[in-house]
């Protein structure tokens, strides 16, 4: 595990080679916004809010800070006209789904994002995958997962598993940046859980 | 058949096969490609079998069901050897005449020959038909000469001699050097130099390395890889084994569709035969080099053909792309160096090794060498699979090979690269087929699907169609791709329905920038391609629809039958 030096927003930053740009920035108190990142989980690279500009060998490119590995002499810019434009639009795209999310509203204020720019399609979920990955990686329960692909993608609880596992856990609830997860869970519970019968109660 | 244990034994086996074959014995090659199959060639095959049995000619005539012969438009195609007489649009009732007149009495049947619609001339042989005349079928040409289920047919044509040369006459460095010198560029879409990719995997640390044939070909309008791989599986397999030797890999994968039964069958037969002959598996041809191949089937989504998603699938995970900040040539399957090339790239390898890089670089343009398979479809007279030297102009492809535009319509554009590609307007038709020239025009060659568009097609509708395709086929993991495509599709649909607004074009341009800049994989980054290329060359169509589209759309609805639910959304 060797140490290298890179430059983030003009500041020299020491980092070990297995770190990502996001981790290196955070280690010196430079904030890069994220929506799908969680320290206990594998980096995901889904929300792209952490997009930053990097310069290597004279070439500038846009990368996801949560996944991009640090390199010696790497130059990182966490804010630029380009980066801000991208973050603003990504927020606008997400606000069409979850206009009341506090996390999104806060970022929207910072980047001047207009929550009414795109027609509302209130699915509430922004598909950050925190619940799905927490359930799989930390709890190893795989109760909630993604179904479908592309624009039809959504999260879904597997009723049989949820009925068995969720009552004792619900640790994913506070991870959700919107209210979609709880809604999805309670909907599953209402529609698909076996109704308690005297026998099953006594078995427990 | 017994195992072959040396280069000399391979040549012996080849001579033995050839000595049993009489070059003068008539052979009937019947196209067994997907299109001819759909046109009912199974009835033609059984008609030939019955007729030959009826005349007791079984020992005098060889019947061969081949892979695709390319001229799908005029199928089913039947070729009579040794004269190479080519009959098009053959029907079962033509079969008795073909056997007794052409095969037995050596007489050409005029009515079954292809007639050039322009000159009225009849073509007797392959290369007299305009569709074939300007092609150079280095890879595809063997399709008519072999039965894809017969390794002996492949050996009779010199098959596996490039492998034997690589293993016994060349070091793995020399094989790599030859591919680098040939300047072979990846045929799957990116056009990345194959030699450099091999070298990266070869030099990457670790003993365990993998090589993959990407036979996914999910792009709508692309059907050339399937035609080549189904029709000549051993040429691809030979290339793969040579590549494995150069890279230092002992395990390969073939990744393909679950729903291509013909291809799967031919691949499986080829693998079994190659193993029996000692051309695959432990100690290949007694050289000490071992290499095994496993077939992996997809689950039917487009993005699983993307290289990193494909490797996730082989790893047993959800086929979603991962960022390639560390290249798959360094960290691919199970984190090991993995070299992936597509079907056509691998098929070029044995040819380069046999004939040399100098021969190869004599074909093509300055920076795009060799030939390219193209599947030609859309508003074109001759739909089919063809192979031309790179540098052939698009005009030659459309008019000389493709036969022009049907129904007296005018050509508007040609579209390359499928849903993430771009369109080239008619005014630039003299552009040569070249990786860089096409990319420069915003229409990267992609895998080689070429869609011809006539004057009646709306470019806005074409863009909408591709966005609609991607909205379903994106994995949906990252926000710019999933949400950006969703919004672009909504806007283009509304423009197309005459409900566009001022500022829509600018918003589409802004969305395109975010998709291109922030998406996780190449699908999202290049998804704006059709929009960007059509706004460049056909901006007036968008502007016209935004300004006057409402009236145009309504009047077009009166003339056409509109499905009820679509009519409802317009109201």
């Amino acid at each position: 595990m060797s140490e290298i030096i890179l430059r983030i927003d003009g500041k020299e930053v020491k980092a070990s080679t297995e770190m990502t740009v996001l981790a290196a920035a955070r280690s010196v108190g430079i904030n890069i916004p994220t929506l799908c990142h969680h320290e206990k989980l594998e980096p995901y690279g889904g929300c792209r809010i952490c997009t930053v500009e990097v310069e290597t060998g004279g070439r500038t490119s846009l990368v996801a800070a949560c996944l991009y590995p640090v390199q010696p002499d790497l130059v990182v810019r966490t804010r630029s006209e380009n980066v801000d434009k991208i973050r603003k639009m990504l927020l606008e795209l997400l606000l069409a789904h979850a206009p009341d999310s506090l996390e999104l509203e806060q970022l929207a204020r910072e980047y001047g994002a207009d929550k009414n720019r795109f027609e509302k399609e209130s699915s509430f979920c922004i598909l950050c995958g925190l619940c799905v990955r927490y359930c799989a990686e930390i709890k190893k329960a795989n109760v909630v997962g993604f179904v479908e692909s592309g624009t039809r993608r959504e999260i879904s609880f597997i009723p049989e598993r949820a009925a068995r596992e969720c009552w004792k856990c619900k640790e994913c609830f506070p991870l959700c940046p919107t209210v979609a997860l709880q809604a999805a869970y309670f909907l599953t519970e209402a529609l698909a859980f076996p109704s308690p019968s005297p026998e099953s109660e006594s078995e427990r | 058949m017994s195992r072959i244990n040396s280069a000399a034994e391979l040549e012996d086996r080849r001579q033995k096969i050839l000595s049993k074959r009489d070059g003068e014995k008539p052979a009937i090659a019947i196209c067994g490609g997907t299109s001819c199959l759909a046109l009912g060639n199974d009835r033609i095959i059984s008609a030939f079998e019955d007729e030959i049995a009826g005349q007791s000619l079984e020992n005098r005539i060889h019947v061969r069901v081949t892979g695709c012969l390319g001229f799908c438009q005029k199928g089913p195609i039947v070729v009579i050897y040794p004269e190479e007489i080519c009959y098009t649009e053959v029907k079962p009732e033509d079969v008795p005449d073909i056997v007794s007149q052409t095969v037995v009495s050596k007489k050409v049947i005029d009515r079954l020959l292809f007639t050039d619609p322009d000159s009225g001339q009849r073509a007797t042989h392959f290369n007299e038909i305009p569709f074939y005349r300007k092609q150079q079928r280095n890879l595809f040409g063997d399709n008519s000469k072999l039965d894809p289920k017969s390794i002996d047919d492949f050996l009779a044509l010199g098959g596996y001699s490039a492998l034997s040369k690589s293993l016994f006459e060349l070091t793995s460095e020399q094989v790599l050097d030859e591919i680098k010198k040939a300047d072979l560029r990846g045929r799957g879409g990116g056009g990345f130099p194959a030699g450099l990719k091999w070298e990266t995997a070869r030099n990457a640390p670790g003993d365990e390395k993998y090589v993959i044939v990407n036979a996914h070909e999910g792009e709508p309008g692309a059907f050339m890889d399937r035609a080549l791989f189904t029709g000549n599986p051993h040429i691809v397999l030979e290339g793969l084994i040579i590549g494995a030797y150069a890279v230092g890999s002992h395990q390969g994968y073939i990744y393909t569709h679950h729903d291509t039964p013909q291809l799967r069958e031919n691949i499986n037969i080829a693998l079994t035969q190659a193993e029996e002959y000692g051309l695959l598996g432990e100690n290949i041809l007694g050289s000490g080099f071992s290499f095994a191949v496993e077939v992996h089937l997809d689950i039917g989504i487009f993005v699983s053909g993307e290289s990193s998603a494909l490797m996730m699938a082989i790893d047993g995970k959800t086929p979603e792309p991962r960022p390639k900040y560390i290249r798959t040539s360094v960290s691919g399957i199970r984190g090991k160096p993995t070299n992936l090339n597509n079907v056509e790239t691998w098929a070029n390898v044995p040819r380069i090794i046999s004939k040399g890089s100098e021969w190869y670089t004599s074909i093509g343009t300055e920076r795009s060498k060799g030939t390219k398979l193209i599947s030609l479809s859309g508003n074109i007279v001759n739909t089919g699979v063809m192979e031309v030297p790179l540098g052939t102009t698009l005009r030659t492809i459309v008019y000389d090979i493709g036969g022009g535009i049907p129904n007296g319509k005018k050509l508007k554009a040609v579209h390359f690269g499928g849903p993430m590609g771009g369109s080239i307007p008619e005014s630039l038709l003299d552009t040569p087929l070249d990786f860089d020239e096409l990319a420069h025009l915003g229409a990267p060659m992609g895998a080689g699907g070429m869609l011809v568009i006539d004057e009646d097609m709306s470019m806005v509708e074409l863009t909408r169609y591709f966005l609609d395709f991607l909205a379903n086929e994106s994995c949906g993991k990252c926000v710019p791709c999933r949400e950006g495509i969703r919004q672009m599709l909504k806007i283009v649909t509304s423009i197309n329905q005459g409900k566009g607004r001022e500022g829509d074009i600018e918003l589409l341009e802004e969305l395109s920038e975010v998709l291109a800049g922030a998406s996780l994989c190449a699908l999202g980054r290049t998804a704006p391609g059709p929009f960007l290329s059509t706004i460049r060359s056909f901006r007036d169509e968008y502007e016209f629809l935004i300004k006057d589209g409402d009236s145009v759309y309504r009047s077009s609805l009166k003339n056409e039958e509109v499905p009820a639910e679509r009519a409802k959304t317009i109201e």
Side-chain angles (χ1 to χ4, degrees):
Chain A
M1 199 202 296
S2 56
E3 282 224 325
I4 55 131
I5 290 177
L6 72 160
R7 209 166 246 290
I8 307 179
D9 293 343
K11 196 168 166 179
E12 271 193 9
V13 178
K14 266 192 210 144
S16 57
T17 43
E18 82 284 3
M19 275 170 118
T20 62
V21 166
L22 178 68
R26 287 193 173 169
S27 73
V28 292
I30 295 172
N31 179 47
I32 297 172
T34 58
L35 286 168
C36 70
H37 188 73
H38 191 287
E39 274 165 16
K40 284 187 180 167
L41 302 176
E42 287 290 314
Y44 185 60
C47 76
R48 316 306 282 181
I49 288 287
C50 71
T51 297
V52 294
E53 255 176 37
V54 293
E55 220 180 282
T56 45
R59 271 185 49 201
T60 303
S61 46
L62 292 162
V63 300
C66 71
L67 287 160
Y68 198 79
V70 294
Q71 299 159 29
D73 303 322
L74 185 74
V75 177
V76 181
R77 282 181 290 274
T78 68
R79 297 289 290 257
S80 73
E81 198 188 327
N82 223 348
V83 165
D84 284 12
K85 224 166 88 179
I86 285 172
R87 288 189 190 152
K88 173 177 174 286
M89 184 165 263
L90 293 177
L91 290 166
E92 289 166 341
L93 289 166
L94 291 176
L95 282 160
H97 294 286
D100 302 324
S101 157
L102 294 176
E103 234 175 302
L104 289 181
E105 278 189 325
Q106 207 180 345
L107 284 169
R109 274 195 295 278
E110 192 176 340
Y111 290 92
D114 171 7
K115 72 153 88 172
N116 297 314
R117 183 152 191 209
F118 296 104
E119 194 190 339
K120 292 277 170 307
E121 209 171 300
S122 299
S123 59
F124 301 104
C125 182
I126 61 166
L127 301 166
C128 65
L130 284 171
C131 54
V132 173
R133 290 178 291 134
Y134 189 85
C135 193
E137 292 174 29
I138 307 290
K139 305 300 290 188
K140 314 255 183 256
N142 295 300
V143 169
V144 59
F146 288 118
V147 291
E148 294 286 2
S149 62
T151 53
R152 290 168 299 142
R153 186 174 174 107
E154 42 182 74
I155 56 161
S156 184
F157 282 87
I158 302 162
E160 294 79 1
R161 298 181 70 86
R164 212 165 50 231
E165 305 280 346
C166 294
W167 63 275
K168 61 187 177 195
C169 176
K170 297 197 178 76
E171 284 166 30
C172 59
F173 281 16
L175 297 177
C176 181
T178 73
V179 293
L181 175 71
Q182 293 191 40
Y185 173 75
F186 287 114
L187 192 66
T188 312
E189 191 181 78
L191 292 175
F193 277 25
S195 48
S197 61
E199 295 105 283
S200 65
E201 282 299 311
S202 61
E203 270 170 33
R204 235 183 242 167
Chain B
M1 270 294 200
S2 61
R3 236 191 99 92
I4 305 170
N5 290 310
S6 68
E9 278 184 42
L10 177 68
E11 289 318 307
D12 281 352
R13 178 72 56 89
R14 198 188 316 283
Q15 289 315 317
K16 214 175 274 170
I17 294 165
L18 286 170
S19 69
K20 281 192 210 143
R21 294 189 175 192
D22 170 7
E24 293 307 306
K25 180 177 164 184
I28 301 167
I30 307 161
C31 179
T34 317
S35 173
C36 287
L37 196 69
L39 289 165
N41 74 349
D42 51 336
R43 284 180 293 131
I44 293 166
I45 296 164
S46 50
F48 270 113
E49 282 163 355
D50 294 349
E51 185 64 28
I52 289 167
Q55 296 196 32
S56 311
L57 294 167
E58 291 99 326
N59 295 324
R60 290 179 46 203
I61 303 173
H62 178 62
V63 175
R64 175 164 72 224
V65 180
T66 73
C68 177
L69 302 181
F71 200 13
C72 309
Q73 188 75 37
K74 290 285 173 186
I77 308 275
V78 172
V79 186
I80 312 299
Y81 284 89
E83 296 85 0
E84 280 205 3
I85 297 163
C86 181
Y87 290 143
T88 57
E89 294 178 297
V90 175
K91 289 173 207 64
E93 45 283 20
D94 299 324
V95 168
D97 284 355
I98 295 177
V99 175
S100 40
Q101 293 187 32
T102 308
V103 182
V104 177
S105 311
K106 305 287 178 196
K107 271 191 297 192
V108 173
I109 305 166
D110 282 353
R111 70 179 153 87
L112 294 174
L113 294 176
F114 174 79
T115 310
D116 188 341
D118 297 331
S119 64
Q121 274 189 332
R122 290 209 167 98
T124 312
H125 303 103
F126 256 145
N127 54 4
E128 290 158 15
I129 298 173
F131 177 79
Y132 290 107
R133 205 184 295 145
K134 296 215 169 160
Q135 293 195 42
Q136 182 174 346
R137 303 194 307 148
N138 290 350
L139 306 177
F140 215 53
D142 283 352
N143 271 24
S144 63
K145 299 175 197 151
L146 55 81
D147 171 353
K149 295 183 173 63
S150 160
I151 192 170
D152 285 357
D153 277 10
F154 185 70
L155 289 175
L157 293 169
Y160 288 108
S161 58
L163 174 65
S164 148
K165 181 178 174 183
S166 300
L167 294 176
F168 297 105
E169 294 169 36
L170 303 173
T171 63
S172 56
E173 288 96 330
Q174 285 171 320
V175 172
L176 175 66
D177 271 353
E178 203 58 23
I179 299 301
K180 277 167 74 181
K181 271 194 268 171
D183 212 354
L184 172 63
R185 294 177 68 171
R187 262 56 176 164
F192 189 81
L196 289 182
K197 210 168 169 180
W198 289 19
E199 194 170 37
T200 310
R202 179 189 162 91
N203 293 341
D207 293 333
E208 220 172 301
K209 290 171 189 180
Y210 302 109
V211 286
I212 305 177
V213 181
N214 187 356
H216 188 261
E217 200 175 50
E219 184 181 304
F223 39 86
M224 60 278 148
D225 281 353
R226 181 170 165 186
L228 176 64
F229 207 177
T230 312
N232 194 352
H234 285 288
I235 194 177
V236 181
L237 184 58
E238 185 181 1
L240 181 71
I241 306 169
I242 295 171
Y245 172 66
V247 166
S249 160
H250 303 287
Q251 176 66 54
Y253 293 93
I254 294 170
Y255 187 85
T256 186
H257 272 270
H258 64 288
D259 54 358
T260 49
Q262 225 192 341
L263 172 61
R264 280 170 51 192
E265 187 189 351
N266 289 4
I267 292 174
N268 288 334
I269 293 171
L271 291 176
T272 311
Q273 290 175 338
E275 226 165 303
E276 277 172 17
Y277 276 47
L279 295 158
L280 189 66
E282 293 294 320
N283 192 16
I284 293 173
L285 290 176
S287 67
F289 176 69
S290 300
F291 178 66
V293 174
E294 203 176 286
V295 180
H296 197 102
L297 303 177
D298 83 332
I299 53 163
I301 64 167
F302 176 67
V303 77
S304 69
E306 193 275 340
S307 63
S308 66
L310 184 157
M311 292 177 200
M312 295 283 261
I314 291 177
D315 243 348
K317 296 177 185 146
T318 315
E320 280 172 4
R322 66 160 185 77
K324 289 191 259 186
Y325 299 141
I326 299 169
R327 273 182 256 163
T328 48
S329 344
V330 176
S331 172
I333 297 173
R334 293 183 275 285
K336 311 283 183 205
T338 306
N339 179 77
L340 173 141
N341 288 117
N342 102 318
V343 168
E344 189 185 338
T345 316
W346 287 120
N348 272 291
V349 171
R351 294 284 190 262
I352 294 171
I353 297 298
S354 291
K355 298 189 180 181
S357 57
E358 245 168 74
W359 164 79
Y360 195 76
T361 51
S362 71
I363 310 161
T365 66
E366 183 64 34
R367 295 202 51 228
S368 299
K369 302 298 184 191
T371 57
K372 180 79 195 80
L373 290 176
I374 296 283
S375 38
L376 194 61
S377 65
N379 305 123
I380 187 83
V381 170
N382 297 332
T383 300
V385 181
M386 47 166 216
E387 182 180 353
V388 288
L390 283 155
T392 305
T393 67
L394 305 184
R395 189 177 300 283
T396 302
I397 297 174
V398 171
Y399 288 101
D400 296 345
I401 300 171
I405 318 302
N407 309 320
K409 297 285 180 188
K410 278 205 211 94
L411 173 72
K412 187 187 223 175
V414 290
H415 183 94
F416 278 99
M420 293 114 79
S423 300
I424 293 172
E426 197 273 340
S427 60
L428 296 172
L429 209 63
D430 289 312
T431 306
L433 189 72
D434 175 290
F435 287 106
D436 308 305
E437 296 256 5
L438 294 188
H440 179 68
L441 294 175
M445 196 176 336
M450 180 170 164
L451 184 69
V452 183
I453 298 158
D454 76 10
E455 55 185 324
D456 287 352
M457 181 74 200
S458 153
M459 299 310 274
V460 180
E461 166 58 18
L462 181 78
T463 305
R464 190 207 61 77
Y465 168 80
F466 284 136
L467 284 167
D468 187 45
F469 177 86
L470 292 174
N472 290 312
E473 297 296 337
S474 150
C475 72
K477 175 175 171 176
C478 82
V479 176
C481 180
R482 182 186 70 238
E483 300 306 328
I485 290 172
R486 187 200 306 273
Q487 295 301 338
M488 285 186 79
L489 174 60
K490 270 191 187 177
I491 299 164
V492 174
T493 306
S494 86
I495 294 175
N496 206 27
Q497 293 179 343
K499 292 187 284 193
R501 288 178 302 208
E502 287 285 322
D504 276 357
I505 293 178
E506 291 71 24
L507 182 54
L508 285 169
E509 284 170 337
E510 205 184 323
L511 280 160
S512 299
E513 266 179 54
V514 172
L515 269 151
S519 294
L520 190 152
C521 82
L523 187 146
R525 283 198 297 274
T526 54
F531 166 71
L532 291 173
S533 83
T534 52
I535 201 71
R536 176 147 91 170
S537 307
F538 301 96
R539 195 182 181 97
D540 53 331
E541 290 192 24
Y542 286 87
E543 284 172 347
F544 177 74
L545 280 172
I546 289 171
K547 202 160 150 268
D548 292 323
D550 196 32
S551 56
V552 175
Y553 192 61
R554 276 166 197 282
S555 69
S556 79
L557 292 182
K558 277 178 204 142
N559 299 333
E560 276 175 43
E561 243 181 271
V562 178
E565 77 272 21
R566 206 175 132 203
K568 224 187 286 166
T569 59
I570 302 153
E571 295 310 316

